[in-house]
Amino acid sequence: MRPLDKTLYANNELEYNPYGNAKPNLIEAIGNFCSYCEREGFSSSLDVEHIEDKDSHKDKEFLWINFLLACKNCNSIKGVKEINFENIILPHLDNTFSVFEYLESGLIVVKENINEPLKQKIKELISLIGLDRRPGHAHYSTKDDRWQERKQAWELGKKYRQKYIDEKCDIETIVDLSLKTGFWSIWMNAFEEYPEVQKELINMFAGTRKECFIHLFDNN
């Protein structure tokens, strides 16, 4: 999951009433992608998502600090669930890239080397938006094709990794394709052995928190 930096507008317009007015600024700040599952979406397919439910936290309904972007699946599954910030990690607060493993089957799992307290926080995030839902899951719906889209993104990533190895495409092509398809974390995993590609993926996806990837940029 891509770690997000929303600070482009942190000191600008702090309140948006109605809250839907924040969508253009959110897209400019963090890109036209779901903040949780990372699928790419046109403006109409993304919602201004309240991190803390707007009905239970009316004082935060119009505040920039309480906004992310969410696709219809992630937003509806999250619903009005209460957030305990001490028991969960979130993409605008934590390094959510370093803790997940994206399998080529479309499944998302917690990395094996994660300690137990952190593992529980990651599982809380997975549960919050149903990130592990796929056929066979107790709460899976046929209207939820996020796992299939992740699988397709992996197949595309592998295809273009081989093209890159064979010098049949350049980094710009890979980045352009990833911007059109979304699923940044999958592209990052597909090009794990090619830091020059990863750096461009970080640079070109708006609002990616670079401080989480100092190890890549320190090797210049």
Side-chain angles (χ1 to χ4, degrees), residues 17-120:
N17 188 357
Y19 61 81
N21 289 346
K23 188 184 290 187
N25 289 163
L26 282 164
I27 289 175
E28 183 181 359
I30 58 177
N32 57 318
F33 309 96
C34 176
S35 301
Y36 299 107
C37 74
E38 302 184 88
R39 73 203 316 182
E40 188 272 343
F42 295 109
S43 177
S44 60
S45 65
L46 292 171
D47 296 326
V48 175
E49 196 276 309
H50 291 83
I51 301 162
E52 294 187 89
D53 172 52
K54 65 182 184 297
D55 294 325
S56 302
H57 303 271
K58 293 185 180 299
D59 59 323
K60 298 178 181 178
E61 180 176 0
F62 307 119
L63 297 183
W64 174 260
I65 60 171
N66 197 37
F67 298 149
L68 288 175
L69 288 168
C71 69
K72 304 301 181 184
N73 290 117
C74 289
N75 201 26
S76 62
I77 292 170
K78 180 175 179 289
V80 296
K81 295 173 184 173
E82 187 67 21
I83 300 292
N84 184 333
F85 289 95
E86 293 184 0
N87 296 331
I88 195 170
I89 65 168
L90 292 165
H92 68 300
L93 299 176
D94 304 286
N95 186 352
T96 43
F97 177 70
S98 65
V99 298
F100 289 111
E101 185 175 356
Y102 288 78
L103 306 183
E104 295 183 26
S105 62
L107 187 65
I108 296 176
V109 296
V110 182
K111 286 187 176 179
E112 292 184 358
N113 62 342
I114 302 297
N115 64 60
E116 193 58 37
L118 179 55
K119 185 178 294 184
Q120 291 307 313

Side-chain angles (χ1 to χ4, degrees), residues 144-165:
D144 185 354
D145 56 0
R146 292 174 297 172
W147 74 276
Q148 288 178 302
E149 293 183 20
R150 288 194 297 267
K151 187 173 184 293
Q152 292 165 359
W154 247 118
E155 292 169 354
L156 201 59
K158 286 195 301 179
K159 177 180 178 180
Y160 277 83
R161 179 178 62 198
Q162 191 58 52
K163 284 180 177 289
Y164 183 69
I165 292 170

Side-chain angles (χ1 to χ4, degrees), residues 156-189:
L156 201 59
K158 286 195 301 179
K159 177 180 178 180
Y160 277 83
R161 179 178 62 198
Q162 191 58 52
K163 284 180 177 289
Y164 183 69
I165 292 170
D166 295 338
E167 298 184 349
K168 293 182 178 179
C169 76
D170 56 15
I171 295 176
E172 183 178 6
T173 299
I174 293 164
V175 172
D176 286 347
L177 190 58
S178 64
L179 286 168
K180 289 294 184 183
T181 59
F183 299 105
W184 175 89
S185 292
I186 291 175
W187 287 92
M188 286 287 288
N189 276 275

Side-chain angles (χ1 to χ4, degrees), residues 2-16:
R2 186 165 67 103
L4 300 176
D5 178 1
K6 300 197 305 169
T7 55
L8 181 64
Y9 283 92
N11 298 312
N12 188 1
E13 191 174 358
L14 296 180
E15 294 195 23
Y16 296 79

